[in-house]
Amino acid sequence: MSTENKKTTESSAKETTQTMEFKAEVSRVLDIVIHSLYSNNEIFLRELVSNASDACDKLRYALLTHPELASKTGEFKIIITPDKATDTLTITDNGIGMDKEDLINHLGTIARSGSAEFIKNLTGDRQKDMALIGQFGVGFYSAFMVADKVTVQTKKAGTDKGYIWESAGAGSFTLKEDDSLPLGTSVILHLKKESAEYLEPIRIRHLIRQYSDHISWPIILKEGTKEETINSASALWTRNKADITLEQYKDFYQSVSHAFDDPWLTLHYKAEGIIDYIALLFIPSKPPFNLFQPDRKSGIQLYVNRVFISDDIPELMPFYLRFVTGVIDTNDLPLNVSREMLQKTPVLAKIKKGIVKHILSELKKRSEKKEDYNKFWDSFGIVFKEGLYEPNDEREEVAELCRFHVTGSENLISFADYVAKMKSGQENIYYLSGADLNTLKNNPQLEGFEARGIPVLLLTDPIDEFWVQTYTSYKDKKIVSVMHAKNDLEKIALEKPLEESNLDKEKTDKLLERIKTVLGDKISKVQLTDRLTKSPIALITPEGQMSLHLERLMKANGQQIAFNSERILEVNPRHPLIHKMADLISEGKEETQVSDAISVLYDQTLIAEGEALPDPGAFTEKLNRFILTGL
Ligand code: ADP
């Protein structure tokens, strides 16, 4: 933040106006917001009203510990004043207000988690970026979609210094002290000509009813001296399900989640029993931009008896369900519940248990409609699978709801589907993990499985590498990497017979010995395998050690790993190349050619694995020599 004084105006020292620059990311967002003809610009009102309501919530909460502030606060309310004479629309609240630091930190930067990462993804194409920004939710800055200048007058509760913040959006804002301001905040929008519709009371009433009806403080429309409350302030979740339309649920979802999509799932129920609570929960249809941000706030708002408490309570939802948004309202906590108490109380744990049970059972129902469920899986499967890894009591239910790619089919399948596909004699569930489906499908390790018609789960998400270490069996079936399927395959009938290997023991031993000599430290061991049918050789890591894929993932992440996994080279005794090499060795011919061939084959398997070659130059040179001989 640059804090230089660019200009000094006005008479008294107190009225000094400071000009400050926005942080770069704010300028980028504002540039897009200001210049886009965003069709959905009406959302600015819901964003500003939501901020005003939050400010009232915050002060109400502060009063619990600082009752002395109350004397200066009236009843909480939000006032909307359109003024056609000045073309301004003002949103006023008597909430917590902002001091100078707040103004600089909250209205001069975008402090939300993941925003920097998100803003990096903006393309420069305004049309596309606006769609992205929509996903991101611009909050306060949405004011600049309809206003060419925004003035914020504010004074923070507990202070006697007031400030006027003002900006036309381009690059900078000004700050001026004015202690005569009342407590709370007024956001004054100097509307653009084309946004004059927002001065019409009928339009304002309509928008408030659509987006902000559930706000628990009165929203008052002020025309001249006339004041009219225009929201019903009835918490939607306390109403009867039968009295709520789909449209109302959707509007509420968009409003609490600052989202633009339709909810994929709406779950509304009242729990009565040991703990009483109401839940109105949603699963979005599109993943929010910051789903993978570790410090992201939970999407669940906690209310106690219709009074907002907090929207940052990690104790309410397991991490693998962090895409769920909505409201929980309970009478089983005191209104003045503190952060420490929230961390300790068993009430939240019980509510959490209830919510999880409901969500999983709802997902189970929806999973019966495959196409519909796949939409959910595409958006959130990658997060949901963390439930196989995180410690929890519901892992078996989570497992039933997971879906996977599998060899021999284009459809996603469940563990149960897999078990139904198992071959006679097959005892384990097999998987192969790697960076992407195409590479996996061509992995030589699958050949022996394909020859026997054994399905193999294809796992491509980084989290897969982790859950396979904690969720090691489904029902009585072990979940085993194809790399570690030692002698399993022998027990299962081939769909078409393999050619018999005619390598004799002596030739084999000599070949394996030579391979080890040529490759040296690159591999720890070389052995024959029955898993390959088309490829001459392949690489595996021993059971219990990090897979090559995980090793690459961690290195790509810049993580230091204490040691590299051992690599075992497996040789297909039926492959003509292997036969040829074995013959040449036993005849004592062509020393360098065979050695070169071993190096080239090894490098090829690295490429197939998706690994960078340690010495691409040497590889090319050797390969070229073979090509030349071939020509
Ligand atoms: P968000 O509401 O998602 O945090 P915004 O861009 O809408 O993002 O607002 C940024 C911050 O500015 C808020 O978190 C809040 O701290 C502050 N703020 C905005 N409007 C008000 C208001 N009316 N009263 C007090 N603080 C406000």
Side-chain angles (χ1 to χ4, degrees):
M1 173 71 43
S2 113
T3 49
E4 70 200 283
N5 287 11
K6 282 209 174 139
K7 61 177 180 197
T8 309
T9 49
E10 314 293 332
S11 46
S12 84
K14 274 207 162 157
E15 287 176 11
T16 300
T17 302
Q18 270 188 310
T19 302
M20 299 179 153
E21 313 275 317
F22 283 117
K23 279 267 194 191
E25 73 269 11
V26 178
S27 290
R28 283 197 72 188
V29 166
L30 281 176
D31 181 62
I32 295 160
V33 168
I34 293 169
H35 294 99
S36 66
L37 294 171
Y38 190 47
S39 57
N40 208 10
N41 68 11
E42 63 189 31
I43 58 112
F44 81 93
L45 190 59
R46 129 193 142 183
E47 295 298 316
L48 297 182
V49 165
S50 157
N51 282 349
S53 167
D54 288 350
C56 295
D57 287 333
K58 280 182 197 155
L59 181 52
R60 189 204 61 80
Y61 195 67
L63 291 181
L64 297 172
T65 42
H66 299 279
E68 72 281 2
L69 296 178
S71 60
K72 297 192 183 139
T73 321
E75 288 204 351
F76 291 117
K77 59 187 171 203
I78 299 159
I79 301 172
I80 303 180
T81 316
D83 182 355
K84 286 186 180 161
T86 55
D87 290 326
T88 58
L89 180 69
T90 303
I91 294 102
T92 303
D93 65 74
N94 53 351
I96 189 95
M98 285 175 273
D99 58 18
K100 187 170 176 181
E101 219 186 326
D102 293 337
L103 280 169
I104 293 171
N105 289 338
H106 296 150
L107 302 189
T109 61
I110 299 180
R112 250 167 300 165
S113 79
S115 57
E117 201 48 37
F118 178 81
I119 288 160
K120 249 194 264 156
N121 289 331
L122 297 178
T123 58
D125 174 336
R126 287 205 173 110
Q127 203 76 28
K128 276 192 209 141
D129 287 349
M130 199 61 222
L132 274 178
I133 293 268
Q135 225 181 319
F136 172 64
V138 283
F140 171 78
Y141 303 108
S142 61
F144 289 95
M145 297 197 288
V146 296
D148 35 38
K149 187 168 81 177
V150 178
T151 309
V152 180
Q153 302 178 335
T154 183
K155 186 188 272 181
K156 189 166 184 165
T159 74
D160 45 22
K161 283 195 160 66
Y163 293 94
I164 301 175
W165 178 103
E166 195 161 81
S167 178
S172 65
F173 59 91
T174 60
L175 262 188
K176 185 165 83 170
E177 194 177 323
D178 180 349
D179 300 341
S180 69
L181 292 170
L183 284 180
T185 304
S186 281
V187 177
I188 305 164
L189 307 176
H190 306 266
L191 291 178
K192 295 180 184 176
K193 268 204 190 66
E194 60 272 24
S195 299
E197 61 186 291
Y198 300 115
L199 293 171
E200 299 298 337
I202 185 170
R203 183 90 169 101
I204 296 170
R205 265 192 221 102
H206 175 78
L207 288 177
I208 294 297
R209 223 164 284 144
Q210 182 177 0
Y211 293 117
S212 312
D213 198 48
H214 65 280
I215 295 284
S216 46
W217 312 111
I219 302 174
I220 292 162
L221 178 63
K222 187 167 174 176
E223 293 174 81
T225 53
K226 202 175 102 209
E227 294 196 349
E228 174 197 358
T229 302
I230 54 175
N231 64 326
S232 61
S234 93
L236 186 81
W237 59 90
T238 61
R239 287 196 226 156
N240 234 329
K241 257 171 116 161
D243 302 333
I244 307 175
T245 66
L246 275 183
E247 202 58 26
Q248 283 171 320
Y249 274 131
K250 175 182 155 188
D251 288 340
F252 181 78
Y253 156 72
Q254 294 191 336
S255 170
V256 288
S257 316
H258 300 269
F260 292 79
D261 56 340
D262 286 9
W264 178 79
L265 176 81
T266 302
L267 179 60
H268 187 188
Y269 68 92
K270 196 172 193 158
E272 279 160 340
I274 315 170
I275 305 279
D276 289 354
Y277 67 93
I278 299 172
L280 175 49
L281 302 172
F282 304 98
I283 295 181
S285 38
K286 294 204 183 96
F289 76 98
N290 56 356
L291 200 54
F292 291 99
Q293 225 49 49
D295 52 348
R296 176 177 178 270
K297 273 203 250 174
S298 99
I300 304 292
Q301 303 186 346
L302 177 70
Y303 284 72
V304 170
N305 200 10
R306 296 185 50 190
V307 175
F308 175 80
I309 302 295
S310 171
D311 61 355
D312 193 13
I313 306 183
E315 292 82 4
L316 261 179
M317 193 63 88
F319 202 54
Y320 74 92
L321 292 177
R322 62 184 177 275
F323 46 81
V324 178
T325 65
V327 167
I328 297 293
D329 193 343
T330 178
N331 291 336
D332 287 322
L333 288 169
L335 264 181
N336 61 350
V337 58
S338 66
R339 187 63 251 172
E340 296 69 49
M341 198 176 151
L342 284 173
Q343 276 161 0
K344 278 189 224 132
T345 171
V347 172
L348 292 188
K350 284 181 186 147
I351 295 180
K352 175 178 175 180
K353 215 170 168 171
I355 311 177
V356 169
K357 205 171 128 215
H358 272 88
I359 293 173
L360 295 184
S361 103
E362 207 59 30
L363 284 175
K364 182 148 194 260
K365 271 187 233 156
R366 287 285 284 268
S367 71
E368 278 152 27
K369 288 184 237 142
K370 284 207 168 113
E371 217 172 288
D372 177 42
Y373 190 71
N374 285 348
K375 284 186 202 149
F376 160 76
W377 193 257
D378 280 349
S379 293
F380 300 111
I382 186 170
V383 172
F384 188 80
K385 275 188 285 187
E386 291 174 19
L388 291 176
Y389 177 65
E390 270 170 45
N392 62 50
D393 298 333
E394 63 274 7
R395 224 178 255 174
E396 290 310 320
E397 284 101 312
V398 169
E400 294 293 354
L401 290 165
C402 286
R403 296 293 177 269
F404 308 95
H405 289 286
V406 64
T407 51
S409 165
E410 289 304 307
N411 300 327
L412 291 173
I413 65 161
S414 64
F415 280 126
D417 296 335
Y418 183 98
V419 171
K421 280 172 180 265
M422 283 170 67
K423 289 275 142 178
S424 116
Q426 183 184 348
E427 286 168 9
N428 301 324
I429 294 176
Y430 296 105
Y431 73 87
L432 180 66
S433 60
D436 66 276
L437 269 187
N438 263 339
T439 321
L440 281 185
K441 281 182 184 162
N442 294 322
N443 192 308
Q445 297 292 340
L446 293 175
E447 292 164 6
F449 292 81
E450 201 180 300
R452 293 169 176 84
I454 302 170
V456 176
L457 299 179
L458 300 173
L459 308 179
T460 55
D461 293 323
I463 182 69
D464 294 326
E465 288 287 347
F466 296 93
W467 71 253
V468 293
Q469 294 169 32
T470 51
Y471 188 77
T472 51
S473 54
Y474 167 79
K475 306 219 163 136
D476 59 340
K477 309 279 184 282
K478 275 214 252 162
I479 300 173
V480 177
S481 162
V482 296
M483 311 262 186
H484 304 137
K486 271 276 153 50
N487 305 312
D488 305 18
L489 292 190
E490 289 164 11
K491 297 178 219 152
I492 303 165
L494 283 160
E495 295 202 327
K496 49 179 195 291
L498 295 177
E499 287 166 38
E500 263 315 297
S501 155
N502 57 2
L503 269 189
D504 64 42
K505 171 105 177 61
E506 200 193 324
K507 276 188 182 178
T508 310
D509 287 348
K510 274 193 179 156
L511 173 65
L512 298 189
E513 205 181 294
R514 170 66 72 79
I515 291 176
K516 182 71 185 94
T517 317
V518 171
L519 296 179
D521 287 346
K522 290 180 187 163
I523 56 169
S524 61
K525 199 163 126 189
V526 46
Q527 65 195 24
L528 295 182
T529 180
D530 62 352
R531 259 176 292 156
L532 301 175
T533 61
K534 294 181 216 145
S535 303
I537 59 171
L539 269 180
I540 64 166
T541 53
E543 204 159 356
Q545 289 201 21
M546 212 186 303
S547 73
L548 297 177
H549 175 51
L550 181 58
E551 194 177 301
R552 277 192 299 276
L553 273 179
M554 299 187 62
K555 282 183 183 159
N557 251 330
Q559 287 176 40
Q560 298 283 341
I561 30 188
F563 59 91
N564 290 335
S565 288
E566 280 175 47
R567 289 157 184 238
I568 300 175
L569 191 84
E570 296 201 312
V571 174
N572 173 5
R574 295 178 187 85
H575 199 281
L577 260 173
I578 299 297
H579 281 213
K580 178 85 185 177
M581 291 200 293
D583 289 345
L584 288 173
I585 293 170
S586 70
E587 290 157 24
K589 288 188 204 154
E590 316 265 0
E591 288 275 325
T592 47
Q593 283 229 33
V594 173
S595 301
D596 282 357
I598 291 169
S599 303
V600 168
L601 286 178
Y602 177 78
D603 283 355
Q604 280 179 350
T605 44
L606 290 185
I607 295 173
E609 263 284 330
E611 196 144 320
L613 294 184
D615 186 355
F619 170 73
T620 318
E621 201 189 306
K622 283 178 192 146
L623 187 60
N624 285 349
R625 245 183 278 150
F626 283 116
I627 295 175
L628 190 65
T629 332
L631 292 171

